[in-house]
Amino acid sequence: MPTSFTVVPVEAQGEERQRDEQQREEEDEGDERDRGTGDGIARESSPFINCAELGRGSMYEGKNMALFEEEMDSNPMVSSLLNKLANYTNLTQGVVEHEADEDSKRKEVKGPRMGTFIGVYLPCLQNILGVILFLRLTWIVGTAGVLESFIIVFMCCACTMLTAISMSAIATNGVVPAGGSYYMISRSLGPEFGGAVGLCFYLGTTFAGAMYILGTIEILLTYISPSAAIFKVADAGEETEAMLNNMRVYGTCIVILMAIVVFVGVKYVNKLALVFLACVILSIIAIYAGVIKTAFDPPDFPICLLGNRTLSKRSFDVCAKFTESNNETKTTPLWLLFCDSSLLNATCDDYFSLNNVTEIQGIPGIMSGVLTDNLWSAYSEKGSIVEKKDQPSVAGSEESKMGGLPYVFTDIMTYFTMLVGIYFPSVTGIMAGSNRSGDLKDAQKSIPTGTILAISTTSFIYLSCIVLFGACIEGVILRDKFGEAVNGNLVVGTLAWPSPWVIVIGSFFSTCGAGLQSLTGAPRLLQAIARDGIVPFIQIFGHGKANGEPTWALLLTVGICEIGILIASLDSVAPILSMFFLMCYMFVNLACAVQTLLRTPNWRPRFKYYHWTLSFVGMSLCLALMFICSWYYALIAMLIAGCIYKYIEYRGAEKEWGDGIRGLSLNAARYALLRVEDGPPHTKNWRPQLLVLLNLDNEQLVKHPRLLSFTSQLKAGKGLTIVGSVLQGIYLDKCTETHKAEENVKALMGVEKTKGFCQIVVSPNFRDGISYLIQSAGLGGMKHNTVLMAWPQSWKQAENRFSWKNFVDTVRETTSAQQALLVAKNIDLFPTNQERFTEGNIDVWWIVHDGGMLMLLPFLLRQHKVWRKCKMRIFTVAQMDDNSIQMKKDLQMFLYHLRLNAQVEVVEMFENDISAFTYEKTLMMEQRSQMLKQMQLSKNEREREAQLIHDKNTAPRSAPAVEASVAVAVPEKVQMTWTKEKFVAEKHKNKDSNVSGFKDIFNMKPNQSNVRRMHTAVKLNGVVLNKSQHAQLVLLNMPGPPKNRKGDENYMEFLEVLTEGLDRVLLVRGSGREVITIYS
């Protein structure tokens, strides 16, 4: 308890304030005060024009800007800022973004040179037009029919066009450094979405490389050099398995070869890109030329049919059963394939005997009217024969074996959704322009124009090719995936002019180039993600060669690409990469829609032809296509992205990129706050929303960290937690300490896993600061309803002379604010979050009904693993007139309705005489209290006031007069701690001067009210010690402070006696409202 108060008169306070201001003016200008508080006082004695800072360089020219000199210490002048922006150059792809300030470590990159055509249009064209166009589009048209194929292509092209519009809006909303779609998504939707979608886009690009390599091998082994196959077909029906094994072997060799090329000289890959693109364009021109030629001179590609069944011409050359030579009928090689001998009376296949062999033109031409036959779909099961619909045939015996006969079989089961998954990769590649944003002259102009033009061009090519293929080529040829009916030629090649080899060679080189491009781009994308530092476990892939080439990322890319190669089927790999690309496009659309709807001030795209509805339709279309292609692949891709998202959220580095999700969270929070009623919630929704009051030491470190541990155990991450503290002083002087304190508190909150907000208040005195927090912490309906604080253990010591006054005032203020109060006594003995109680009890002493807080708190604590194994016991006190048996039954029923499991015990505490110990303890408390009031006077003051006190016959209860005389004095600080020895010494020392006052103190009688209170405290403490001395935690009703403020120090003594001898105590004072209910 305090024994002296430093009371400064008003005049003295004014003088002291003037001295402080003078001292602040004379402080060194070069220190922290130069941060620009804006008052202008500190720098008046040192005018800028004479300042030695001019020696640091010509930072400021002349005196014109002297008014803004303090701002210019930390903020650049407009001229220098514009100069930096004008000289800004994008970094090369895969290097850390410009805002990381690491560009100074790297060599200067050359200024961007490429325009829209070279930089965006052609790369997009090359990436979009590729393997699917040459190898699968004719088969899709034949299987799905012209109408359904048109729908498939239109859906996919519409998806990419809507995505391109959204991408254009994002790409033109500021400077987009290299990094393309990953950069745009991560900066628009945040690091979690950016990392998840970026890795999905990386996987999609890697599997695209595998698909292109598989396409290259298919062209090589099927159309260029079938004899190069390592695994030969021994028995009929093993063609598919042999082909897959050949693809695995050749694919592994080619992916290793391509990786070496990329590792040794990526610049050669970029130089060859135009060559590969030229091959694609020439091939497409050859197709259109061939279509035109069919109008007047169709090419000669006859097809052999047996009945309505298509025959493979790989094993025979003459489409007939017999031939006439020199008036002699001879059987053909076709006869031998269906019969057991070359004799005319040989036993033949039933269907072969019943049906004739006919020959029709495979490419009748655009004027033939074959389009009407190809309008409708012809889906089939795996292993079924490709048949011509309107051709007459006689059904043979069902027992005849199909295997080994030269029919054209389907290799997989076909249906609409499967064809969508196979086709979609042919429209990917729209990000190629944005990925090169670092090499463009004007990215904000080139990316929208080039990308949308490229998509329009390729969409026209695809849609026109569907109609032209259906109008020129016979249906059975279209459904013949590998061209077996036309001597093993590439089906689209049969249509081309001047030769099928134009398409074969062109598609071979284009697929090779696309594979190299994928193996070049994917590692750089992974490197960009790794160097952003948002996914810790891939940071190793950010390293590379001295020139920045991503060596480790290339090795991982080759490994993942090899997985696609081992799958070996182009039709199986295509849906996988479709998933990853569709997910990427979906989030691009989401990013644009979110930014548009939020209307953030920074959302000012130069590209104006966008709308959130278009982005939403694009996003919905992407999601629909994912599940149309393959619902299980879609779920797997979404699971992968979700796991990466949660991993980044849990372990990743915190990044603040001003993303749209942060803006969305702010909007949602604002909306929710406005919806939440600015009043008390319903009892069923009530939970403790805590304001935790912390004490900080001189280093701004938390004195009692266990208070935050207890907070996290009580809250378990639910509800609102505000951790507050007060710094004494003036905010202008305490800015640095405030930031330091906030950082320390937040760091400790992270360690203790306390989820909430930190609020540091600077106030001229500690008492007012706590009052500010209790009044103003929180926002709207999200305000605290409970205050948690530690018991002031050192309230009797001199250095904490105000702690007990602040504590009692805090109790009064929480009661006035209708807030609950929790006071943790012996907080340093409370468990940490790492401790576990394997046994023990949480004892609740329910003396007064406080709205149910005492019941609710143990239930909440036992949700946490620290307290989970503790049992709950509830004690209540029965008076003389109470029926303790009935009380116990009623309490058990009450707990049953509350759905709480607890032992119940009623303690009988009968009235008895007040013990001599209680009487003596009360007397000592009052003597000590009165003595402390008189000890507030300094020795000189006591001598000066002695006569006045005698004249007025001052009694110990005339404290107001004494305090009034103290108010005009400047006392010395004396020892506050009062012991018996000091008391005797002081009595003898001041025997002459204060004889009357101290005589009255020793002759005084204790106040009867205080005696009764002390009696309750002593007796209840004895009962609690008897039952709960070994409990892990004791919860106890906290009595309210006296209405008469003169008894505040006695109140502290009562609480001290009440909780004496207990290890962990939580004093609970309810808010005056019900917080727990028996109703559902």
Side-chain angles (χ1 to χ4, degrees), residues 398-417:
E398 294 181 2
E399 297 178 1
S400 62
K401 294 182 180 180
M402 299 291 185
L405 299 179
Y407 294 125
V408 176
F409 295 97
T410 56
D411 61 334
I412 55 174
M413 185 175 72
T414 53
Y415 44 92
F416 179 81
T417 57

Side-chain angles (χ1 to χ4, degrees), residues 40 62 106 186 204 210 290 498 605 653 805 818 919 923 979 1043 1052 1075:
R106 305 189 177 277
S186 62
K805 280 188 174 297
Q818 295 184 331
Y919 192 86
L923 179 61
T979 63
K1043 294 180 180 179
M1052 298 294 291
V1075 300

Side-chain angles (χ1 to χ4, degrees), residues 90 112-115 119-120 433 436-443 446-447:
N90 290 314
R113 296 182 303 274
M114 290 191 290
V120 181
R436 295 166 178 258
S437 57
D439 302 321
L440 300 173
K441 282 182 185 176
D442 185 357
S446 298
I447 289 176

Side-chain angles (χ1 to χ4, degrees), residues 524-538:
R524 279 156 181 75
L525 179 59
L526 182 63
Q527 186 184 47
I529 301 170
R531 287 190 173 180
D532 258 347
I534 58 172
V535 187
F537 73 84
I538 65 166

Side-chain angles (χ1 to χ4, degrees), residues 179-381:
S181 58
Y182 161 69
Y183 183 92
M184 289 188 293
I185 294 171
S186 62
R187 271 52 175 186
S188 296
L189 293 179
E192 293 89 0
F193 277 110
V197 179
L199 286 176
C200 285
F201 191 55
Y202 162 74
L203 291 172
T205 308
T206 307
F207 276 106
M211 184 188 74
Y212 292 133
I213 292 170
L214 290 174
T216 302
I217 302 162
E218 185 176 312
I219 294 168
L220 176 69
L221 295 181
T222 307
Y223 307 114
I224 297 179
S225 178
S227 59
I230 297 173
F231 295 90
K232 306 292 184 182
V233 181
D235 300 320
E238 294 183 358
E239 296 91 347
T240 304
E241 189 63 34
M243 185 65 178
L244 294 179
N245 289 329
N246 285 321
M247 285 203 166
R248 291 183 180 108
V249 174
Y250 275 95
T252 304
C253 296
I254 289 179
V255 77
I256 293 171
L257 184 64
M258 285 186 174
I260 294 171
V261 171
V262 171
F263 179 78
V264 172
V266 69
K267 58 183 178 181
Y268 300 114
V269 177
N270 293 330
K271 287 181 179 178
L272 289 171
L274 284 176
V275 176
F276 297 139
L277 178 61
C279 293
V280 175
I281 293 173
L282 284 174
S283 301
I284 291 170
I285 292 172
I287 291 172
Y288 281 108
V291 169
I292 294 170
K293 182 175 177 291
T294 61
F296 52 86
D297 184 15
D300 183 28
F301 280 101
I303 307 168
C304 190
L305 297 176
L306 176 62
N308 64 351
R309 297 177 178 179
T310 311
L311 298 176
S312 171
K313 276 197 168 183
R314 291 181 184 270
S315 306
F316 64 94
D317 51 356
V318 178
C319 183
K321 293 182 180 181
F322 319 99
T323 56
E324 295 288 337
S325 176
N326 299 325
N327 293 324
E328 184 181 356
T329 304
K330 293 183 179 179
T331 57
T332 61
L334 178 62
W335 178 278
L336 290 174
L337 293 173
F338 285 93
C339 303
D340 56 2
S341 72
S342 59
L343 300 175
L344 292 176
N345 59 355
T347 304
C348 294
D349 179 76
D350 194 26
Y351 187 86
F352 181 76
S353 303
L354 294 172
N355 290 276
N356 295 324
V357 175
T358 55
E359 194 172 57
I360 61 171
Q361 275 299 324
I363 303 178
I366 196 169
M367 307 301 291
S368 63
V370 73
L371 178 63
T372 54
D373 297 332
N374 293 330
L375 281 177
W376 312 109
S377 61
Y379 300 119
S380 58
E381 297 289 330

Side-chain angles (χ1 to χ4, degrees), residues 123-235:
C124 285
L125 215 62
Q126 180 189 0
N127 279 267
I128 295 172
L129 299 171
V131 61
I132 300 295
L133 170 64
F134 300 119
L135 296 184
R136 293 290 182 271
L137 192 59
T138 52
W139 172 70
I140 290 172
V141 173
T143 305
V146 171
L147 293 179
E148 290 187 26
S149 299
F150 198 90
I151 292 171
I152 291 173
V153 174
F154 183 80
M155 273 199 310
C156 295
C157 291
C159 175
T160 54
M161 179 61 80
L162 292 171
T163 304
I165 292 171
S166 299
M167 184 192 72
S168 300
I170 298 172
T172 57
N173 187 49
V175 178
V176 179
S181 58
Y182 161 69
Y183 183 92
M184 289 188 293
I185 294 171
S186 62
R187 271 52 175 186
S188 296
L189 293 179
E192 293 89 0
F193 277 110
V197 179
L199 286 176
C200 285
F201 191 55
Y202 162 74
L203 291 172
T205 308
T206 307
F207 276 106
M211 184 188 74
Y212 292 133
I213 292 170
L214 290 174
T216 302
I217 302 162
E218 185 176 312
I219 294 168
L220 176 69
L221 295 181
T222 307
Y223 307 114
I224 297 179
S225 178
S227 59
I230 297 173
F231 295 90
K232 306 292 184 182
V233 181
D235 300 320

Side-chain angles (χ1 to χ4, degrees), residues 995-1010:
V995 171
S996 176
F998 285 117
K999 181 186 282 187
D1000 288 342
I1001 289 175
F1002 292 119
N1003 293 333
M1004 67 186 292
K1005 292 183 179 180
N1007 183 289
Q1008 288 303 310
S1009 174
N1010 288 341

